[in-house]
Each structure stands twice: as C-alpha cells, then as structure tokens.
Amino acid sequence: MKCVALVSGGKDSCHAMALAETNGGHEVVALANLLPQEDAPDELDSYMYQTVGHQLVGSYTSCMGVPLFRHRIRGSSKHQDLQYTQTLGDEVEDLSLLLAYVKATLPCVTAVSSGAIASDYQRLRVEHVCARLGLVSLAYMWHMPQRSLLRGMIDSQLHAIFVKVAALGLEPHKHLGKSIAQLHHTLHRLNCLYGSNVCGEGGEYETLTLDCPAFKLGRIVLDEFEVVICSEGSIAQVGYLHPTKFHVEPKQSEQTAVIAQPDLRQGIVHMVPCDWSPSLPSTDLPCEPPSLRASSTEVRYNVVLQSPALCGRGEYTQISGWAVERDSAQPGSDISAGNSRLALTAVLQALVHALAEEGLGLCHAIFVHQHVCNMAHFGDVNAVYSQFFPAADPPSRACVQLPLPDGVP
C-alpha cells in the first residue's frame, strides 16, 4: 500500500516508516506533521504530539524526496478518556484534518504509518481517525520489546539526539544533544535503577532524528542550539533543546543539485490552508453495530457457517464462516474490492447472530484468522472489519492471502 508517515521528528516515527517499507512492503509517498502555532512555545502540553524540534522536520522532505504535509495545532486535549469520540476543539481533530487533506491531495494514499509502541491513548486515536477516513493504520513497533527495539534503531544507523529530558538521571545541560547511541548504556542503567522506559514511553525523554535509512538524499546537521529549562522539578530538571542553526548535508555530491533545486516531489512542504475543510466531512464511527442494520449483501452472497465448537479443553469456542457469490463464481483475480467488502460484511453479520445465540459477541473474540483472495483489497475490507470489532483491546488478527475457491472473496 502507498502510505503517509506521521512524523514528529522523533526516532520512533522515523523507524516506523522504515519498518513499513522494509518489513511490510509498503511505499511511503508522503510525510505528515503537526506543529505548534507560530506564537506558541516549542513544547506544547499535548497528550498526542511531540513538538520540540519541529523546526527541523521541514527539512525531512529534502532528505527523502517526498512531499511533507503540515498543519498547525489548534485544539487541546479535551477528550481524555481512553476511548476517543469525535470532539470539537480536540487536538485529535487536527490530525483528522491533516490526514483528510493528504488524502484529498494524494488519493493514492491508503495507509498511515505511526510510531506507536506502548500508548493505547495515542494508538486508539490514530486508529479512530484512520477508520473515519477509510485509511489503514500501520504500527509496526506496537508492543515490541523496548530494549531490542532501541538496539535495532541504533544498528540501522538511525541517528537521533535527545531534545527533551524529564526523568531522574537525565540532565538537560549534560544529555541534550547527545545521540541515542551515546546514551544507550545510560538508558539501560536507568531502567535497572528506576524502572524507566528504555525507549522513553513514559515521557522520560524525546528525540530528534537527524539521519535514518529513509533519508536517501541527505542528512541534517545541527550547527547550534540552546538549552531551555522549563521546570526545576522536585526530582529532576525538565528541559528541552531549541535549535537555532542547522543545514541539510547531501549524502552524495552528485545529489547536491537535487536537494538544492527540488521538483514537485522533493523539498515541497504543503501547509493545510486555514480555510480548508473536507468536501465530504468525515463522520464519527457508527454507534449502532453494522450487524444490526439492513444490508443488501444477503441477496448477493450465501454465507456458510460452521457450528461453534469447543476447543482448548473446553476453554474456548471456535466458529468460522465464509461467503460465496450466489449468482456466479468469479475466480479470485476477477473479484473486486467492492465484492470483498460486501462478502466480509455478510460473514460478520452472520457471525454476530450465531454468537448471540451462544450468549457471546465479537467483543469476546481473542484471535481472528482472516483469509482473502487478494491482499490488495486489505484497505477496503479493513474498513468493514473495524466497524464490527472493538477499537479498545481488539483481538489479535492474522490476515492471509490464499487461493480461495472461485466466488469466495
């Protein structure tokens, strides 16, 4: 899939887009970033976004050769419950507007890469926005062990420096500007002493990426910076790095002209216009389960269900089903994404009713095997899937392309 990578400037978002390409086979065709208002401080009191170091993020487009879309944050953390619902004036709506603008400008984009590791608060909000816009959320680092994850970033030649510290054992004037490779052992020592998160998932620190595998054309050199102390704190000083001078250094001399004179894809930053709004505004996710609404899919597809069976010494119930076209049996290569959507809707509606007879629901599912005839349809079927299963603590899922019988999407 062609995806837009959410980038804050931190190591996590930059490593995530590299994993999306190398591990997932996706293509990053654009970047998206939220930054403070012009008169706002570098560090915002945001539950969602890193803003320290935002001055350098604009250079990422020159380093990668893909366009960067940016939007200034207008909202705040108004809706702070774990499960998000669409809230006027919340900072999540800024993300929704930004991604809607990306989708309107680049219709080829079908997925969003993010650097979520352990925060359900952030992950659920990204997934909520993606579901509203019909996009697929890619979070390749979700719940990866932080020690091995940090080691993998360093081994991949990702060069990120500390731009904010807010934890016992980290000192602004000592550690700001140092790289994750230089402080690797320090982070492990603090984890052993105080239980701090090696990757900074508890807000212990924030980073700014100056170079990574995705930067094919150039790297950023930070020439000068200031240290800003924003809180003395009772346990530790809280401070951040404010960049004052930097430049992009070409990785190869013959590419200098490419970076200096970008075309429509390189070096271009798109700011979302202040008066822009989606032509078809996204709506909040439906309150009523789609399984309870009338559907025309029953007419087109026959759904075959296997009776629920106990397994695992009677601890679990297994049930499976598939949809077959009623009037024809198209080979998998001829089945459209629309047919795949209709088929999955029919199957899930039937499963909902079958589970209800057992006193169960899809919210009780712990693992889902999903088989499709064409993985290119994943974005379409995932939009259907996300309407049936809970956004908070969804079941694990394995989606696999198989040579299914004719007429089975």
Side-chain angles (χ1 to χ4, degrees), residues 187-312:
L187 295 174
H188 284 284
R189 179 173 58 82
L190 296 179
N191 172 256
C192 293
L193 288 173
Y194 311 119
S196 58
N197 291 274
V198 172
C199 282
E201 284 300 290
E204 293 89 346
Y205 67 91
E206 292 178 356
T207 60
L208 181 63
T209 302
L210 303 181
D211 192 14
C212 68
F215 290 6
K216 305 295 185 184
L217 303 180
R219 62 178 61 85
I220 299 173
V221 177
L222 180 60
D223 301 306
E224 298 176 8
F225 65 86
E226 300 172 347
V227 172
V228 179
I229 304 298
C230 48
S231 173
E232 289 296 335
S234 57
I235 298 177
Q237 271 190 333
V238 178
Y240 64 85
L241 178 155
H242 174 73
T244 55
K245 185 179 179 182
F246 59 92
H247 69 277
V248 175
E249 178 182 89
K251 287 192 171 180
Q252 295 181 14
S253 58
E254 62 267 23
Q255 292 174 330
T256 303
V258 176
I259 296 177
Q261 298 179 353
D263 59 22
L264 291 177
R265 283 177 52 82
Q266 296 174 179
I268 293 297
V269 177
H270 301 273
M271 293 296 299
V272 178
C274 296
D275 57 350
W276 187 86
S277 62
S279 57
L280 292 175
S282 64
T283 57
D284 207 353
L285 299 179
C287 313
E288 180 186 3
S291 58
L292 302 181
R293 298 198 296 269
S295 172
S296 61
T297 58
E298 295 178 324
V299 177
R300 184 160 188 172
Y301 288 93
N302 288 323
V303 176
V304 181
L305 290 182
Q306 290 185 341
S307 299
L310 294 177
C311 58

Side-chain angles (χ1 to χ4, degrees), residues 36-84:
Q37 295 288 334
E38 293 187 45
D39 57 351
D42 287 2
E43 167 67 351
L44 295 184
D45 185 20
S46 170
Y47 286 22
M48 278 290 293
Y49 314 119
Q50 171 184 322
T51 54
V52 174
H54 66 86
Q55 296 88 346
L56 275 68
V57 176
S59 298
Y60 283 13
T61 179
S62 296
C63 294
M64 291 183 61
V66 298
L68 169 66
F69 293 81
R70 309 190 82 178
H71 175 58
R72 294 195 181 276
I73 301 169
R74 301 172 183 169
S76 58
S77 306
K78 288 191 173 182
H79 189 108
Q80 298 180 10
D81 293 342
L82 180 61
Q83 188 63 44
Y84 180 76

